Amino acid sequence: MAQQANIGELFSMLDSSVLLVQEDITAVFKDNLNSDRGPMLVNMLVDYYLENNSQQALQILSTLQEPHDKHLLDKINEYMGKAATRLHTLSLLGHVIRRQPSWKHKLSQAPLLLSLLKCLKTDTDVVVLTTGVLVLITMLPMIPQSGKMYLHDFFGIFGRLSSWCLKNPGHVAEIYLVHLHASVYALFHRLYGMYPCNFVSFLRSHYSMKENLETFEEVVKPMMEHVRIHPELVTGSKDHELDPRRWKRLETHDVVIECAKISLDPKEASYEDSYYSVSQPVSICLQRRQIDPNASPYIETHISYGKTTLQKITVPTNVPFLESCSIRLLLQQENPSAVCGMTTPPTSPGIVSSESSQTSSQPYSKYFSTPAGGKGTPLGTPATSPPPPCISDDFVHVSLPSAAATPPKKEDKLDPGRPLLSRQQNVINSEKALEVPGSKSSVNLSDLPEFLGCLASDEDSVEKDREEDAISKEISEITTADAEPVVPRGGFDSPFYRTSESLAASQKKPLSVASSVQGHSLSSEPLASSLDKSGPEGARDTPKQAFTPIDRPCGASDESPAGNRVGQSSMETSILTPSPCKVPARRRMGFGSGQPPSYEHLFEVALPKTAYLFVSKKTEELLKKVKGNQDEDCTSSTSPMEVLDRLIQQGADAHTKELNKLPLPSKSADWTHFGGSPPSDEIHTLRNQLLLLHNQLLYERFKRQQHALRNRRLLRKVIKATALEEHNAAMKDQLKLQEKDIQSLKLSLQKEQARYHQFQEEHDNIVAQLHSQIRQLQHDREEFYNQSQELQTKLKDCRNMIANLRLELKKANNKVCHTELLLSQVSQKLSNSESVQQQMEFLNRQLLVLGEVNELYLEQLQHKHADTTKEVEMMQAAFRKELEKAKFCVQQQSQRLDAFQKRIVELESQLSKKDHLLLEQKKYLEDVKIQARGQLQAVESRYKAQKRITQAFELEILDLYGRWEKDSLSKKLDDEKTEAAEAAEERMDCSSEGFADSVAGYSEEAVGRNGETKPPSTRGSSNSKGGSSSELSTPEKSQNQRMGQFSSRWEASMLLEPSTSVPLTVGSLPSSTSFLGMKVRELFRNKSESQCDEESMTINSLSDTLKSELCKDPSMVEAKAPSSPINPSPSPMNQDCSVGQLHIMDYNETHHDHS
Amino acid sequence: MAEDSQRNFRSVYYEKVGFRGVEEKKSLEILLKDDRLDIEKLCTFSQRFPLPSMYRILVWKVLLGIIPPHHESHTLVMKYRTEQYRDVYHALQVIRFIKDSTPQVEVFLCMHQLESGRLPRNLAFPLEPEDEVFLAIAKAMEEVVEDNIDCYWLVSSFVNQLNNKYKDSLPQLPKVLEQYLNVEDNRLLAHLKACSAVSKLPYDLWFKKCFAGCLPESSLQRVWDKVISGSCKILVFVALEILLTFKMKIMALTNAEKIIQFLENIPQNNTDAIVSKAIDLWHKHCGMPVHLV
């Protein structure tokens, strides 16, 4: 509660007159809002604002931060529902929105928007509608993509309001409709700019209906004349233009500019299309058309009211002058403002306006001061002012109003005013003629043809307006017929007036009209530029544009004498104006107060068609100026906008107060002068109108703000571009410098190269020289070399010679030595020979002596031994013979020796030969031995074979014998069986089959039984003995020997046998029956015959015969074999027999061993 | 060696390339040209190379000592031999051991028996094992040699050589065979052992009869070349090679009797190859006899 009370106090203090308190309170509120999140404070603020219309509250509310937006919007929405507070709420909303709070995107979701739309659809109050529409228009670019869901609501609103404009169902005052129309027009622009396809389709569908056709013809169609074809209509689609992507890139001001771009209306269009100069008149026409003739009285009255009020506020001065001055200023101010708005973006609207107002005053003060200074010409007076010709050009405008406005010469001026005007027009024309060909710096001039073309295309509408113009002119003339300021009408705005008149008369003058209009705008431009130039914070770009039109006239100083003349004449007239010392003050005050009278007269009369425009503009400008003045008084810190708002409110308040003070009859007389509405309505109407105006103003300001934003961005780009250009230039300079460097370097390089070449050449020369020297030296060297060679050869020759000489010397020495030797030898020989000679001599002497001796001896001998010589001779001869004999003998001996030696050699060779032969023989012998051995082996084997054969034969024979004996024995046994069959025989039978049998057979008869047994035993023993002995003694005896032994043994056995068997043989012959027996008997007979001689012989012979028989007659042998006692039974198998057989076996075995 | 120049100089390479016996005949002729033939050289030659058939009988006779090394006495010795043969033959005829119709082999047997003094009492006497060996060898030799006398002499000399020279080494051969079989193919040996066929192998046929009746004569004579020239080990390798050649069949047979029966009647178609391989194997294991020529 305490807090609430506190807040209540604060609220009361909020609108305190003390500025510091206000600020403190505002700060407190803001702190509170920052700390408190509740809706209470916001609600209370809203309530407070709605109650008291407090600016501070409004400011706080419009700067609300994020968390409070919902409360605010809720609160506004709440109040929006109530019809009473709707208007205030809307204006609050407008304020808030124009601030572009950070939460503006939430607007589309807020219920507030819905209620706003509902309000716009249903409400019938024009003021509310207009305000709402303006709010909506302001809001639209902020919520471009989220607002699309309400698109049809927007269109519906547009349809409703557009038809409202025409039909006026609420029957509200026309003046409201004008506002409404303007706002609808703005809405049209916005909708068309933002959603062209949807909007056009809506228009198509909506106005295709018959009941809407009239609305279309009257309201919408003229609107459409001021827009171009939106490019989206060609490239886009309904869906595409609603695409969020399209809006994402665009900021609010971008959207606004986008909308302005498609507009042909100078109020809406962006400067980028440079249509403003064209569209200005058109918009004027439009405005003019909207303003009905009936509306003019209201304006007039309104202006008059304004004048009175202002007069009250400001110090009264020379009104007409100020009037003219202010109007002119206004006119010029207006144009510059347009120009400035397009070309030079002010940093902020408020500041710019104040500045422009301030700066605009300064040049005028200068202009005025110069004439006030009493100088005939203004040349050189202003420090920063352009050269005289241009000043004079400007002065044309300045002087004209001044001349026209001078109260004392009102009547006189009327006449000179006309010529002046005409002259001025000439001047303007000439000026234009001058400007058109030459100027290129002026944007306006370059755009002129375009503008003209557009103008021509707009003729239709213009024409339509002209009719109305004519009517309004008549009316104005009527109204100003008794009024004083008829003159200024022609004086000031004569070009317009004239053109309109001439246009009405003939349609061939539009060009001139346009040119005149242009001329105005052009002529006004220099002023504006000069204003801006002198301004302390004039934008950079402005001087360029501002100076150019001034410079150009400078070059063409003697452009038109008429202009100069006019200027001078106007100077003269202006000299007549109040004293210069008065001027600043008057002017200062006049800015604030001097407007209303001129308003009344000038606009009422001269420009009834552009009344609305000028009214709005002028009020704004003037209010600004007033505010500026006021600001000068109090504090310069408050913004002009605030001042303006305050001023309007104050003005409104003052107006109501004044109105109350005034007597009603006068008022009514005033109002009813033109047959207007009743006065009670008038006040309300006026108030509302003011409100509407304010709204409009705020809306326009908002737009300008957007423009400013955009301009700032563009400026940045320009700055960047210039910076880049400068950078470029710098780079170029650098490049040039570098190129220069390169050039110089190249030059030095060339120099260096030249030097180098020179050096090279020198070097080459030197080298060549040196080479030649070298060559020469080499040549010399070779020569020397050759010489040395020659010398060397010579040296060699010499040496050779020396060697030869030496050799010769040696030889000579040798010779000398040799000769010396020889000499010595010779000398020796000589000495020898001498000695020999001596000896010889000696010997000769001796010989002689000896010879003598010999002779002596010979004599002696001869004398003595004469007979012995014979003996000696004989002996000698004998000796000689003996010697010869010996010699011969020796010779013989040696010869023999030789012979013997030869013989020895021969014999030795023979011996070796023999040895060799012996060896060979030995070898051969060996060979032969081997051969013989081989043969012998063969023979031996043959012999062996033979022996085997013999053995085989013997075996066979024995076998046969055995068999035969057996046969015979068996026969005998058979014979003797009858006589006696004895056991002995059986025993014999069983005991023997072989030899024993046969032996038994032999000894059968002779010995009997006892004798029978004996012989075998003895025989066996002998046999065994012999066998053993033979075995022991001669096991390796030769065959013959063995045979011999055998035979001898056999003989022995036979010898033994006969001893025992002789009787046997005698008496026991084999049985004569058998053939063998006979044979044997025969044999034995022979034996027995010869037995006496020698038994052994017989036996031997027997064996021989046996043998021979064996060879000759095998059959006989066979027959005999069994009987043969020699034949052993070879069968080794019959060992089971008797002892005799065993013996035989023994023998056999021994024999076998032998073999 | 004066004869060396006459020899083909390519002879060295023939052997390397694999042609055998190109130069052998010539070298043999050279050998045979010598008066007083060099028995040693002939032995070596015979061991090393197969003998040309035209000289085979002569070489055999020489090697077996039927004819002496001297050419001069050849005719004389052969005359003796012939006479001896006739005598023996006549004697046998006389003692009625043989008739005209008696087969030659038996004639040879009787003659041999007679000569060795082992002539039975009569013909009905049962044959002894050595007589059977003789008969088999004689039968084989009869195919090789045309002349009866030569044949008889060769047979009897061959048998005598077997009985005398190889008396000690022949009983060792089964062991040697086992040893080499272990080296060459122990699996086969294991199989044979498993079948207990090792001891029952036809050693009589192989080693006593020297494959007479087991191999065809064309192959047999090559084996006998080696045997006559003094190496009885070749018999082992022939037996080994037979086992190796018929390894698969032997492995297939598990019964000792069947194995023996098969080995006693081996197929006669590729015996030449077997013999060649056996000789190679023999050379491999016992080394090449020094080439004396």
Side-chain angles (χ1 to χ4, degrees), chain A residues 437-576:
Chain A
S439 77
K440 54 174 183 176
S441 52
S442 164
V443 184
N444 301 323
L445 266 176
S446 62
D447 286 333
L448 205 121
E450 208 177 11
F451 143 66
L452 289 174
C454 284
L455 199 83
S457 69
D458 284 337
E459 262 181 7
D460 284 2
S461 60
V462 171
E463 229 185 313
K464 200 181 187 182
D465 298 332
R466 267 180 225 126
E467 290 172 359
E468 290 174 347
D469 286 0
I471 299 159
S472 59
K473 192 184 77 184
E474 280 177 0
I475 293 163
S476 63
E477 274 177 346
I478 292 161
T479 48
T480 52
D482 52 346
E484 289 174 339
V486 180
V487 183
R489 172 194 64 184
F492 177 64
D493 254 337
S494 59
F496 280 109
Y497 177 54
R498 282 211 149 196
T499 48
S500 62
E501 254 189 347
S502 57
L503 277 169
S506 67
Q507 296 187 355
K508 292 221 170 184
K509 272 205 165 177
L511 255 171
S512 67
V513 171
S515 63
S516 68
V517 170
Q518 183 60 32
H520 266 283
S521 65
L522 279 171
S523 57
S524 64
E525 193 184 7
L527 274 173
S529 60
S530 65
L531 289 173
D532 281 318
K533 174 199 78 185
S534 53
E537 278 200 50
R540 237 184 236 178
D541 289 22
T542 44
K544 265 188 195 170
Q545 287 186 338
F547 277 120
T548 40
I550 297 163
D551 286 339
R552 178 189 34 73
C554 221
S557 54
D558 51 346
E559 44 177 18
S560 71
N564 280 332
R565 258 185 286 136
V566 168
Q568 286 194 349
S569 62
S570 64
M571 290 296 251
E572 285 169 83
T573 52
S574 65
I575 289 167
L576 298 173

Side-chain angles (χ1 to χ4, degrees), chain B residues 85 89 98-111 134-135 138-139 142 146-149 151-152:
Chain B
Y85 174 80
Y89 188 81
I98 52 170
K99 293 168 221 155
D100 288 337
S101 62
T102 315
Q104 202 67 42
V105 187
E106 286 179 27
V107 171
F108 291 156
L109 177 63
C110 287
M111 288 171 79
F134 184 88
L135 276 178
K139 210 176 273 178
E142 195 186 8
E146 285 168 5
D147 187 27
N148 281 335
I149 299 155
C151 183
Y152 165 71

Side-chain angles (χ1 to χ4, degrees), chain A residues 12-75:
Chain A
S12 64
M13 286 161 74
L14 196 59
D15 277 333
S16 157
S17 54
V18 185
L19 208 64
L20 285 170
V21 175
Q22 269 187 19
E23 282 171 6
D24 287 345
I25 295 297
T26 313
V28 167
F29 270 107
K30 280 184 180 167
D31 287 345
N32 242 324
L33 283 169
N34 283 336
S35 58
D36 188 17
R37 299 195 155 235
M40 191 191 65
L41 190 60
V42 175
N43 292 346
M44 284 175 76
L45 270 170
V46 172
D47 290 337
Y48 181 77
Y49 171 74
L50 291 180
E51 278 170 30
N52 300 333
N53 204 9
S54 166
Q55 288 299 309
Q56 292 297 324
L58 177 64
Q59 198 191 354
I60 292 166
L61 283 174
S62 56
T63 54
L64 269 181
Q65 292 303 311
E66 192 76 41
H68 300 287
D69 58 325
K70 195 171 178 297
H71 313 310
L72 180 66
L73 290 176
D74 287 343
K75 192 75 185 172

Side-chain angles (χ1 to χ4, degrees), chain A residues 927 935 939 941-942 946 959, chain B residues 70 76 81 83 87 121:
Chain A
D927 220 25
Q935 286 176 2
V939 173
S941 74
R942 199 174 148 213
Q946 284 292 345
D959 197 19
Chain B
H70 291 272
L76 181 71
R81 300 291 188 201
E83 281 175 6
D87 286 347
R121 282 292 296 176

Side-chain angles (χ1 to χ4, degrees), chain A residues 744-761:
Chain A
S744 62
L745 283 172
K746 272 182 185 169
L747 218 76
S748 60
L749 180 72
Q750 278 176 349
K751 273 183 197 166
E752 288 296 323
Q753 274 177 343
R755 256 168 63 190
Y756 173 74
H757 277 299
Q758 205 176 334
F759 280 131
Q760 188 93 29
E761 279 171 17

